[in-house]
Amino acid sequence: MAALGRTDLDVFRICLGGNVFGWTADEPQSHAILDAYTGAGGNFIDTANSYLVEHGRSETIIGRWIAARGNREEIILATKVGGGHGAVRNLRADTIEREAHASLERLQTDRIDLYYAHFDDKETALEESLRAFDALVKAGTVRHIGASNYTAERLAAALDFQRTHGLAEFTVLQPHYNLVERDFERMLLPVAEAWGLAVLPYFALAKGFLTGKYRPGGEAVESERAEAARAYLDSGAAAVLEALDEVAAAHATAVAAVALAWLLAQPRGVAPIASARTTEQLEQILSAARLKLTPAEVDRLSATTQAA
């Protein structure tokens, strides 16, 4: 377990992503994955109101599982607002309040432990959005708030406004960040450092590429993300796989675990978010929570790519 930044939450070092629930994993499969995750000591589940094929489907699946297991007090539950399509893809005050309560109903709970602004909404004044999040915290509906998909400038402006006006502050940042996509280090990491934000990367396995199943000249793997994952090979990322293979062999572990452990070794990294559609995939990623890379191994992996 690790402290989640400046919050009072202690979380498992791998956060289970719920984006596949109701998409590539049906409800029974999703519940099996959730059971295996908590059975291995996991307590941190990430979802969103907009996941994925149907609005709120992932939350509904998770809510039914929590109700059936009666384990709400053992789970740190994160969800989001501001994604999706149409009328809900904004951070207006009425949307934030309405969607928060809809998420509570789907998740079958009375509070959200960590509530994210899923995407920045430049059409809505920051003050309106931030005061709406603050109202949810003051009401006890939400315990802590986080941000995702903000530019460094907008994130810093939001944090400054919250601090200046005594509002509940973003304490967690969920950026797009992994070993082959490192813009975060140049753009957002300085803000996270300055404001003491816990960092929970999404796309931590680069749409499956960092699991090692997409390789030069390898047999075609068909999946919902296969085309996007194979695109990394066209951008010269094959050297990353070679380094991952070396480190994985040295620890007798999975390539995916090494990729996640690299993120855990980066500044402010607390719990990268990774999803699994089978319990076999889950087993590979869970081992990252126990894997300690040497400084030389971290450097070896880092040298294969660079921040843009």
Side-chain angles (χ1 to χ4, degrees):
M1 296 290 178
L4 185 60
R6 294 185 282 114
T7 76
D8 58 354
L9 305 176
D10 290 320
V11 298
F12 192 70
R13 297 302 304 275
I14 299 298
C15 179
L16 182 63
N19 58 311
V20 299
F21 298 159
W23 179 36
T24 57
D26 62 20
E27 188 157 340
Q29 290 171 321
S30 300
H31 285 190
I33 292 161
L34 288 160
D35 284 338
Y37 175 71
T38 53
N43 73 335
F44 194 14
I45 299 169
D46 177 90
T47 185
N49 65 335
S50 56
Y51 289 162
L52 192 54
V53 176
E54 173 189 339
H55 188 80
R57 178 62 176 161
S58 174
E59 290 181 326
T60 299
I61 288 172
I62 293 168
R64 288 173 179 161
W65 174 78
I66 288 172
R69 303 299 182 268
N71 61 357
R72 178 64 183 94
E73 298 305 315
E74 301 162 19
I75 300 298
I76 304 299
L77 199 52
T79 192
K80 311 178 189 75
V81 62
H85 302 281
V88 298
R89 192 180 175 88
N90 64 76
L91 293 176
R92 294 194 296 268
D94 59 341
T95 300
I96 291 171
E97 181 179 10
R98 182 182 66 252
E99 287 297 309
H101 286 92
S103 289
L104 290 175
E105 184 173 347
R106 288 188 291 263
L107 291 165
Q108 301 193 43
T109 185
D110 62 352
R111 78 232 179 247
I112 297 166
D113 298 309
L114 177 59
Y115 200 38
Y116 289 99
H118 199 169
F119 292 89
D120 188 14
D121 174 11
K122 294 183 180 179
E123 302 301 315
T124 300
L126 273 176
E127 178 173 0
E128 178 179 344
S129 302
L130 300 179
R131 290 193 182 280
F133 281 116
D134 179 69
L136 290 174
V137 174
K138 284 185 168 59
T141 304
V142 168
R143 295 176 67 186
H144 302 282
I145 56 175
S148 185
N149 299 302
Y150 276 63
T151 65
E153 294 75 16
R154 286 278 289 184
L155 179 60
L159 288 160
D160 184 69
F161 185 90
Q162 290 167 329
R163 180 74 53 90
T164 299
H165 294 275
L167 306 181
E169 296 182 14
F170 292 140
T171 52
V172 178
L173 176 62
Q174 187 178 136
H176 184 165
Y177 180 38
N178 56 60
L179 183 55
V180 292
E181 295 171 292
R182 295 173 61 184
D183 286 359
F184 163 79
E185 295 172 15
R186 180 172 58 89
M187 305 298 294
L188 282 162
L189 179 57
V191 180
E193 293 273 23
W195 291 87
L197 304 182
V199 173
L200 278 60
Y202 75 86
F203 283 167
L205 292 173
K207 302 174 185 176
F209 175 74
L210 294 173
T211 66
K213 66 181 179 180
Y214 306 97
R215 294 179 177 273
E219 186 176 327
V221 177
E222 297 307 321
S223 72
E224 295 286 347
R225 293 180 171 179
E227 185 176 348
R230 281 194 290 262
Y232 294 105
L233 291 174
D234 298 332
S235 61
V240 178
L241 297 179
E242 182 180 343
L244 287 168
D245 286 341
E246 289 178 11
V247 177
H251 290 272
T253 193
V255 165
V258 175
L260 294 173
W262 180 86
L263 283 170
L264 286 170
Q266 302 309 305
R268 311 224 54 88
V270 175
I273 300 163
S275 57
R277 58 183 179 81
T278 67
T279 54
E280 290 77 18
Q281 290 179 353
L282 179 68
E283 186 176 354
Q284 292 184 7
I285 66 176
L286 287 180
S287 59
R290 304 182 298 273
L291 179 58
K292 301 296 182 185
L293 302 180
T294 67
E297 288 169 336
V298 173
D299 291 344
R300 167 79 175 98
L301 294 164
S302 298
T304 62
T305 60
Q306 60 182 3

